[in-house]
Every structure is written in C-alpha cells, then in structure tokens.
Amino acid sequence: MNAFEQLLQTFFDWEAMASVLPELLTVGLPNTLILAISSGVIGTVLGMILAVMGISRNRALRWAARVYTDIFRGVPAVVIILLIGIGLSPLFRQLTGSTSPFPMGILALSLMAAAYIGEIFRSGIQSVEKGQLEASRALGFSYHSSMQLVVIPQGVRRVLPALVNQFISLIKESSLIYFLGLLASERELFRIGNDAAGNTGNLSPLIAAAVLYLCLTVPLTHLVNYIDNRLRMGKREKPEPDDIAARIGEGAKT
Amino acid sequence: MSTIESGTLTGRSLHLSFGSNHVLRGIDLHVERGTTASVIGPSGSGKSTLLRVLNRLIEPDQGDILLDGRSVLKDNPDELRRRIGMVFQQFNLFPHKTVVDNVSLALRKLRGMSADEARAKALAQLDQVGLKHKAEVRPANLSGGQQQRVAIARALAMDPEVMFFDEATSALDPELVKGVLALMADLATAGMTMVVVTHEMGFSRNVSDTVTFMDGGVVVESGPPAAIFDNAQTPRLKSFLSDVL
C-alpha cells in the first residue's frame, strides 16, 4: 500500500463512515442541535440583557456587564465548561435528581455565548445615530420606550450577521461538552465520530462528523452573507422617480 | 405684555452650560399663539440648543419655560414634548419603519389609538404634505425633501400646539428647499405657532412675525422682520447680515 492509499484509507474509509452514519444522524445530530439551539436562545436573551446593562446610565450595571463580559470572553471555553459542568453538577443533581450533563453544559455554553452576543448587541445599539433617540424623545416617548421601539430594533438589525456568526461558533463549541462525560444516548456529533474513530483506529468517522458540522454551518455562513447584502443594499425595491423630486431635478436622488 | 392664549410659548432667562462652556446665557423668547418666530445667528450661537431646552430635550440650568402662561418645568417632560412637534435638520425618520408607520407610531403608542385609527390619521397627514402615495415605502427610498415632509407630517400628526423647526432645510439640496419652505409657510398661514431656527433669510423675513438674532448664547436683537433686516442696530447683527445676505 503506498502512502497515498494509506492516507485515503485513514481519512476516507467509506465503510467506516457508512457504519457510523446512522448513529451520527439519529443520536449525534439531534444532541448537537439541542445543545446549540438552546444555548443560542438563552445566550441571546442573556446577551440582550447584558447589552442593555452595558449602555445603562447606571454605573453599577455598566460595570457588572463589563466584568461579566471580560471574564466569560477571556477564559477558554473548555475551562468554563469544566468549571460549570463539573463544579455545579452536584448541586444540580441535588435540586433536580437529574444526572444529565446537558443542563449544566447548556448553561456553560449560554453564559459564554451571552458575553459575545452582549458585545455584538451593544455595538449595534451604540451605532444607531443619536438623532434617532432624539427624534423619538421629541415625539414624547420615554427613554425606555424610545430604546425599545426605535433604537434597539435598528441596532439588532445591523448586527444580525455577527449574531449568526456567533451561532456558528456555538454549533462548533457544543462539541466541548464531551469533556463532561456523556452517556451513549447523550453523545453529540464529535463524540460519536471520535468514539468510532477510537474503536476502528481510523479517522474516517471523524470526517463524517465534520461533514455533518459543515452541513449545519455552511448554510448559516451563506445566510450571513445574504443578510449582510440585504442590509447593505436594502430590499430590492425600485425607487420610483417622485413627481416633485423629478420635477425639481436630479439632486433629489442623492 | 399681550394676553396669553393657548399655544403661547415663553422662555425666561434660560441658562445652560456644558461643563465650562456657557451655551445659553439668559435667553428670553416669547412666541405668541399662532405666530412664527424665527431664530437666526451664526453657527454655534446656541440656536439649536435653545430649541432643545424649550422642549426639555436638554434641561436648562436656570430660567423658566411657560406654555399658555404656566411653567412646564415641573411637568413630565414626555408630556410636554407631546405638545410640541419638532423637525430636525437630518429628518431622523425611523429607517426600519415604513413612512406610514413613522407617522402612526406615536399615535398608537402614545395617543392610544387603534392601528386602524392611527393609520387613517397618518394617511390624512401624509396627504396634507403630498406624500400619501409613499405611505408603504421605507424612508431610504425617498428624496431628502420628501423625508423632511414626512418628518413634518410625523410631528403634525400629534396635533402639537407648537412646532419647532431646527434648520429643517439645511441638509437639503437647494432644489428641494423650496418645497419644504412652502409647506412651512402654509403651516404658518394656517395659524400654527412655530419657532424656526433657520439660515434661510428669505423665509425669516417673509414668513415670520418676529425675528430673534442670537450670538454667543445671548439674544442680541429681536423684533419684527423689517426692524431686524432693514434697520439693524448692533454691529454684530449688521456684520452677520452682511455675511449672509
């Protein structure tokens, strides 16, 4: 067997892939999706709270958001997952009786995602022109209503591409949950691929897992590009030549 | 002093500082109901700040603001601003909402109108500024002049007692200024009480009832347009007019 064939065998053993595929699809994929989607949703909610705290006029709230963000962005994901997943699991077990590592794993992923998403939202909200808040206040809206109805919706729209990028990260980071020790039925894509690779001494099952990750992340990457274009170019709506503007001149279009 | 009726706006010795920068140094301004007061002066003279103090977007350090002869400094500022419409240099329409939603938002959320009522009122208001046919488009698809007219409709929809215009035509291309000024002149003729900060000396002279010239945070001269434009008393006003006319 020459070196090339050996490489091919190591990475692209179709039989090894085919034998792990059912488990990847029926166990790994649902578990990865559960982890990524639930931590994405919780992280988004917590991130919005952090963003609002971060721009608050209350110094203590701003400071709390700052410290939280610095800690959860600054420590490696695996450290947080181990600290929370292992550290808090006895307490969680006492309270609920559940031994599943998922809730604490989701909590750890959510808390990390919240730090990033909070910064994404904050930058979006702060990029909205001051005149928007002023116009809303001039109409008679309170500060809170103005933020809620006018400023935050615009800010969030501007950072949708960055937010989707964060979801892509979460899908990948969900693989780190394997550090918490998973029952067979709790394994996600990476763990199933990794176990099969270990059992067969061949890396092809990991390639199969990687392909499934790509099936999730690549469409999202394209969604990011689509949203980004859409936001930059606006809806494909033809600006009609307006009667008055057209009469007065070309300057109207600028 | 003439009798004060509904919609009469008075600012009394208004002071405002940003740190060591004393922006307003005791401004007095009185606008009778149904009249138009224009405020002119060089950039940085405090004109736009004065408008924001009068509707309490910025709280004055000292002085008093009276609407219908009653001090409004103790009122909820949000309530006060519902009585005073404001139009900005940069239009400040909400870009994420359609034209009709821009106009109806405050009607629904602040006046408690149903969606249908608010929409009907917004459409009528848009009709008044000649833009009913643009109700469903986003502001970005409108020319600057159209955006400003929508902004005027948005302010008028709240049935304000007073309208503020903060250099409403300064950001417009010259060809579009006329349409907006004509709309403002129509409003003045219809009896709206207006305070107009402007660089449009023609408008100030022809449409306003009183002209106030500000420089360095003080009112330097104030009076009917003829007195200001044809019979300036102070060297500062004379030099300003010779620069802009």
Side-chain angles (χ1 to χ4, degrees):
Chain A
M1 194 191 285
N2 65 30
F4 179 71
E5 276 176 349
Q6 198 178 343
L7 269 182
L8 215 58
Q9 184 66 34
T10 307
F11 291 112
F12 298 102
D13 179 339
W14 302 115
E15 265 177 41
M17 284 191 194
S19 66
V20 77
L21 195 60
E23 209 173 16
L24 279 176
L25 287 174
T26 56
V27 180
L29 188 60
N31 281 335
T32 292
L33 286 174
I34 287 171
L35 290 167
I37 292 173
S38 43
S39 53
V41 170
I42 298 171
T44 302
V45 172
L46 293 178
M48 180 54 81
I49 294 171
L50 278 174
V52 171
M53 284 169 69
I55 56 170
S56 156
R57 290 182 282 193
N58 180 327
R59 186 188 299 238
L61 288 179
R62 283 205 308 274
W63 187 81
R66 190 72 262 150
V67 169
Y68 177 95
T69 307
D70 284 347
I71 291 174
F72 280 87
R73 278 202 315 186
V75 176
V78 63
V79 174
I80 302 227
I81 286 173
L82 285 175
L83 286 178
I84 290 177
I86 296 176
L88 297 185
S89 67
L91 181 68
F92 180 73
R93 201 179 315 129
Q94 274 176 10
L95 288 175
T96 66
S98 161
T99 55
S100 166
F102 267 41
M104 288 302 105
I106 288 170
L107 176 66
L109 287 172
S110 303
L111 293 178
M112 279 187 294
Y116 288 96
I117 293 173
E119 284 297 275
I120 290 171
F121 281 152
R122 186 181 60 77
S123 69
I125 293 167
Q126 286 183 326
S127 77
V128 176
E129 298 76 17
K130 282 211 164 63
Q132 291 290 312
L133 178 61
E134 199 173 42
S136 172
R137 306 265 0 230
L139 279 170
F141 285 106
S142 66
Y143 176 81
H144 290 287
S145 302
S146 300
M147 292 304 283
Q148 195 189 335
L149 293 168
V150 174
V151 178
I152 291 177
Q154 290 183 56
V156 168
R157 228 165 273 222
R158 291 180 192 191
V159 295
L160 279 181
L163 189 63
V164 177
N165 274 332
Q166 199 54 47
F167 292 150
I168 292 174
S169 278
L170 261 180
I171 290 174
K172 296 186 291 178
E173 278 175 4
S174 67
S175 61
L176 294 172
I177 295 299
Y178 99 97
F179 276 106
L180 299 181
L182 301 168
L183 296 177
S185 64
E186 292 167 345
R187 293 177 305 164
E188 37 64 65
L189 288 174
F190 163 74
R191 182 62 196 271
I192 288 176
N194 196 37
D195 284 355
N199 291 339
T200 60
N202 182 294
L203 289 176
S204 302
L206 263 183
I207 294 281
V211 169
L212 284 179
Y213 278 113
L214 288 175
C215 289
L216 297 176
T217 54
V218 170
L220 281 177
T221 313
H222 286 274
L223 179 67
V224 171
N225 294 340
Y226 172 76
I227 297 174
D228 203 28
N229 270 326
R230 174 77 177 266
L231 285 175
R232 244 172 320 130
M233 317 300 267
K235 231 187 263 178
R236 299 276 92 210
E237 205 166 9
K238 257 200 183 152
E240 298 167 47
D242 154 57
D243 33 342
I244 289 176
R247 197 181 69 214
I248 305 178
E250 281 295 302
K253 289 176 188 156
T254 54
Chain B
M1 188 93 125
S2 52
T3 40
I4 293 167
E5 301 168 70
S6 164
T8 297
L9 177 73
T10 309
R12 278 194 194 144
S13 52
L14 292 165
H15 283 265
L16 178 75
S17 298
F18 296 123
S20 61
N21 185 9
H22 204 159
V23 187
L24 300 180
R25 301 161 179 262
I27 300 282
D28 288 300
L29 185 79
H30 181 74
V31 189
E32 279 296 322
R33 172 178 182 269
T35 67
T36 296
S38 59
V39 182
I40 61 171
S43 299
S45 56
K47 310 183 296 289
S48 296
T49 308
L50 173 63
L51 284 186
R52 284 162 176 74
V53 166
L54 286 170
N55 72 0
R56 294 179 61 198
L57 277 174
I58 307 172
E59 297 288 355
D61 296 335
Q62 272 179 56
D64 202 358
I65 302 159
L66 298 96
L67 198 51
D68 304 339
R70 196 180 65 79
S71 173
V72 291
L73 279 184
K74 295 271 188 304
D75 294 2
N76 177 343
D78 297 333
E79 304 277 345
L80 170 67
R81 288 191 286 262
R82 286 169 210 173
R83 302 168 63 189
I84 302 178
M86 185 159 183
V87 175
F88 300 86
Q89 181 176 359
Q90 299 297 341
F91 330 133
N92 295 344
L93 292 178
F94 307 137
H96 60 305
K97 295 193 177 291
T98 61
V99 163
V100 67
D101 288 345
N102 262 274
V103 180
S104 62
L105 182 70
L107 295 174
R108 282 192 293 124
K109 302 283 180 184
L110 297 177
R111 289 269 186 265
M113 288 187 182
S114 72
D116 287 345
E117 268 180 303
R119 188 181 160 80
K121 167 131 204 207
L123 287 174
Q125 208 68 62
L126 284 169
D127 203 19
Q128 200 196 326
V129 302
L131 287 171
K132 194 178 173 187
H133 61 296
K134 295 289 185 188
E136 304 305 334
V137 308
R138 295 284 168 97
N141 292 316
L142 298 179
S143 72
Q146 291 174 325
Q147 290 193 48
Q148 194 59 296
R149 285 187 282 147
V150 173
I152 292 172
R154 179 174 70 178
L156 287 176
M158 292 292 281
D159 295 321
E161 295 161 47
V162 185
M163 281 286 284
F164 286 179
F165 292 87
D166 183 20
E167 301 191 19
T169 58
S170 297
L172 297 178
D173 291 313
E175 320 86 271
L176 302 178
V177 168
K178 228 162 128 186
V180 172
L181 288 181
L183 179 56
M184 290 163 63
D186 285 349
L187 278 176
T189 311
M192 175 61 77
T193 310
M194 313 209 299
V195 185
V196 182
V197 167
T198 187
H199 291 296
E200 294 288 336
M201 295 303 141
F203 180 90
S204 178
R205 178 199 282 267
N206 297 323
V207 179
S208 38
D209 300 285
T210 61
V211 181
T212 297
F213 170 65
M214 279 178 69
D215 193 13
V218 295
V219 172
V220 180
E221 277 191 53
S222 183
I228 297 295
F229 288 104
D230 303 327
N231 195 18
Q233 301 294 314
T234 57
R236 272 202 274 183
L237 176 55
K238 285 177 185 162
S239 122
F240 174 74
L241 289 175
S242 73
D243 285 346
V244 297
L245 290 179

